[in-house]
Amino acid sequence: MKIVHTADWHIGKKLHKHDLSQDFDLFIDWLAHFIETEKVDLLLISGDVFDLANPSSEARRQYYRALIRLQKLNCKIIATGGNHDSPAMLDAPQEIMRALDLTVIGGLTQNLDDVIVPVRNSTGEIELVIAAIPYLRDADLRSGEQASNHEDRVEAIRTGIERIFAEAAAICQQKYPGIPAIAMGHLYTAGIESSESERDIQIGNLAAFRASQFGNYFKYLALGHIHKPQRVSAEKPVFYSGSPFPLSFSERTDEKRILLLDTRSGYEPKSIAIPSFRRLLKLSGNLSELELKLNSLEHHASLKSLIEVDLVEEQYDAHKVYALDQLVDQFQTDGFEIVKQRVQFKNQIDGSSQLYHEEQQLEDLKPKDVFAELIATHNYAEDDQHEIMAAFDEILEDVQSGNTGV
Ligand SMILES: [Mn+2]
């Protein structure tokens, strides 16, 4: 049986307000082609199907469209909910899903049997069983006793996760003795590099779970939650497939992949690279370096490359900030879009601490005095200084009267 393991689709994801729906469509095109040519029997999607608990109608449309398209390729699909998904939202169309032979487990129910899914081969025999365990929420893990301190609480969560995987293994063994079992999971396991887009520091994250706690019964652990593809344990095949395309700039150098298993030859997955549809670029330097970099971009990806620009200058200079704004405003190169700009002055922190004397207390300082000292360190003409000070007064008045214009 051929199985593809993927996770963290985050349908509906926006990167600095830039919609990544085209990335998803291109990935599904590629995946459909792969499933068809490789004759894949089973697709596992280990959580974070959507980016938001209440996805837009466009995101939902994409999801249903993708499921139907892949299912028509004679490939069974099992998807679980992640920490970004709403279990209720994923489970709502369950009747229709079931009628279409699509298995979606949004969240844990009272009965753990519900997540144990037998998979039949073309001759109708049960060849494999999947423990489709979704992201485990606090309520799924809470045991009778209340933990008194943080450490106990974290330990209780860890034990709770361990218990659920052990119980799932026991059900598999009891109901389908001798049939190999694979478990899905959406959680953080210890010793893993993560990236910016795993937005929430979940309780599950704090409770760094150890790969050995999955037990010995499952042949393979198909994990989601960490967006960088990686193997977790050397002993048993415990893998994060990672997200299919970069969801944040911290993932821009990841090699995105899906994992392919062929149970005839065992449970070590083959890593299949997903083509890169879009480049994410981080450009940093002083003003003239940035200008040079922005003028020498070369386009070679199917979708628009997105750019983050970091201006790094030694000395604070308002003109440089303005010049960067202009540079960004005027930037117009086909195939590229600047989605974020940042300014950093290396001496800024030194500068502000030099503004007041050591024996001065913060509460003794008046905003206007601090500001006056700040602008005194710059070589502004006297007229400009007056104008800047007047503008500061105006802002200060607004702030103090609570009228912040928000
Ligand atoms: Mn995720």
Side-chain angles (χ1 to χ4, degrees), residues 8 10 47-48 83-84 186 197-198 225-227 247:
D8 295 277
H10 286 264
D48 281 355
N83 54 306
H84 280 247
H186 191 90
S197 65
E198 288 120 32
H225 193 47
I226 307 294
H227 294 175
L247 299 165

